[in-house]
Amino acid sequence: MSAGNDPGPGGDRHDRLIQEEIHDPYQARGKLSEPTVCPGCGAIFHKGRWQWKVDYIGDADEVMCPACKRIEDNMPAGILTLSGGFLDGHKEEILKLVQHKVEEEKAGHPLKRLMAVEDGPEGDVVLTFTDTHLPRGTGQAIERAYDGNLDIQYTKESNLVRVYWRRD
């Protein structure tokens, strides 16, 4: 076998399929100019990421940040569903914990936001988020504080995380 046909340490070349990555349609396709300001929330794209309260001199481009665009389109990246009998008597305090977690994350990460809190059909509560990490972290914080069962499901194809917390 010649060196040009050697499949190398990874084995047969036919075993290595190139998988096209599924990209988040809400992320910028190219590099944004700096600074760029979101007209919706005032976040500023600076040093390669969206930030709060960055001082800049001169004009800035305006582009809606991914979080504001998701909110405008009502297209969450994460959904957290709270359910069970325990929720009935503790809904207010659990939602305060959620709000605290959201504010804590949003302070350092402008793209991590709570979109909506809605009552579901069977007494459950459905929360929608602008990113995939915040619903998971919020669900884990609820589980640490109140026990219960936490189930996290991520579909790479749809770039969506579904988190279910239940305590009866």
Side-chain angles (χ1 to χ4, degrees), residues 23-161:
H23 295 286
D24 184 351
Y26 288 89
Q27 295 300 321
R29 292 286 173 242
K31 185 165 172 79
L32 297 173
S33 62
E34 296 189 24
T36 296
V37 178
C38 175
C41 66
I44 299 169
F45 187 81
H46 180 66
K47 294 187 179 178
R49 67 183 189 95
W50 289 97
Q51 303 177 46
W52 297 118
K53 298 181 181 178
V54 174
D55 292 327
Y56 62 92
I57 298 171
D59 294 331
D61 288 344
E62 284 193 2
V63 172
M64 192 170 285
C65 74
C68 285
K69 187 68 177 150
R70 279 190 179 278
I71 292 167
E72 180 182 85
D73 293 348
N74 193 27
M75 206 54 144
I79 301 169
L80 170 59
T81 303
L82 311 174
S83 63
F86 183 81
L87 182 61
D88 294 336
H90 300 86
K91 182 177 175 180
E92 189 174 317
E93 64 189 80
I94 291 172
L95 290 178
K96 283 183 182 176
L97 173 65
V98 168
Q99 194 61 42
H100 176 75
K101 179 71 175 170
V102 168
E103 291 302 319
E104 179 181 74
E105 288 293 321
K106 182 180 161 188
H109 306 279
L111 303 185
K112 293 185 177 190
R113 297 193 219 151
L114 177 65
M115 293 173 59
V117 178
E118 299 174 359
D119 291 326
E122 297 177 18
D124 51 351
V125 176
V126 180
L127 303 102
T128 53
F129 298 86
T130 59
D131 86 308
T132 58
H133 301 285
L134 189 52
R136 184 182 64 226
T138 303
Q140 290 169 335
I142 293 169
E143 183 186 39
R144 279 191 304 273
Y146 300 102
D147 292 323
N149 297 313
L150 189 66
D151 181 28
I152 301 170
Q153 301 171 3
Y154 179 71
T155 347
K156 191 172 185 178
E157 296 81 27
S158 64
N159 204 18
L160 175 73
V161 66

